[in-house]
Amino acid sequence: MTEKQKQKFMVSQMEPKEFALHVLKSHYKEPRKEFGCLAQLWGKESAWNYKAKSPTDDYGIPQRHMRHNTKAEIADFMKHPHKQITWGINYIKHRYETPCGALKSWMSRAKNGRGGWY
C-alpha cells in the first residue's frame, strides 16, 4: 500500500467530527475556531447524527433540505456521513463563508435562545 493509499484509508475511517476538522483544515486559516462554531451549529441541528431527519425533509448531520430529491438520492446521502459533512461545509462556505458566520445567522433566528435554520 502506498503512502497516499494509507492516508486515504485513514481519512475514510475517521469519525464524523474528526473528519469535519480534517476538511476545515483545507478551507480555513483557523480551523479549530471554525470547528467550534460548526460543532455547536450541527450539535443543535442534528446532534451529529448522520441518520437525523426532520419533519420538513431535512436530512443528516447538516440537515440538508432534500424535498425535491429522489428517494434514491436521499438514501445515498443518509448512508455517508463524510459525504454529508463535505456537502455541509461546502454549503456553509458558499452561503456564509465560515461556520462561525453560519452559526451567527442561526442564532439571529433564535426562538427562546434555541436558534433556527441556517
Side-chain angles (χ1 to χ4, degrees):
M1 184 180 279
T2 68
E3 191 59 39
K4 192 172 185 176
Q5 289 171 323
K6 287 179 191 175
Q7 184 179 14
K8 189 174 181 179
F9 175 77
M10 288 177 62
V11 169
S12 73
Q13 300 303 307
M14 289 179 177
E15 293 296 319
K17 289 181 182 180
E18 183 182 16
F19 179 75
L21 180 57
H22 173 77
V23 174
L24 291 172
K25 286 178 181 178
S26 67
H27 288 277
Y28 300 102
K29 291 181 182 179
E30 297 181 74
R32 292 199 182 278
K33 173 188 170 202
E34 296 302 333
F35 178 77
C37 293
L38 186 69
Q40 187 176 352
L41 177 67
W42 287 351
K44 293 174 184 289
E45 284 287 312
S46 66
W48 287 83
N49 177 1
Y50 75 96
K51 296 179 181 180
K53 179 186 181 299
S54 78
T56 56
D57 298 311
D58 303 310
Y59 295 88
I61 294 168
Q63 288 294 277
R64 176 181 177 185
H65 189 69
M66 299 183 79
R67 180 174 293 165
H68 302 292
N69 292 76
T70 67
K71 288 182 181 183
E73 289 169 327
I74 293 168
D76 180 62
F77 187 74
M78 294 298 285
K79 289 180 199 170
H80 300 97
H82 289 187
K83 184 183 282 189
Q84 294 175 18
I85 289 164
T86 301
W87 180 91
I89 290 172
N90 286 331
Y91 170 79
I92 286 169
K93 189 169 186 179
H94 174 75
R95 182 142 184 181
Y96 302 99
E97 294 184 20
T98 67
C100 290
L103 178 62
K104 182 178 179 182
S105 177
W106 190 87
M107 292 303 292
S108 75
R109 294 178 180 86
K111 296 175 185 166
N112 300 324
R114 293 188 184 143
W117 56 273
Y118 70 104

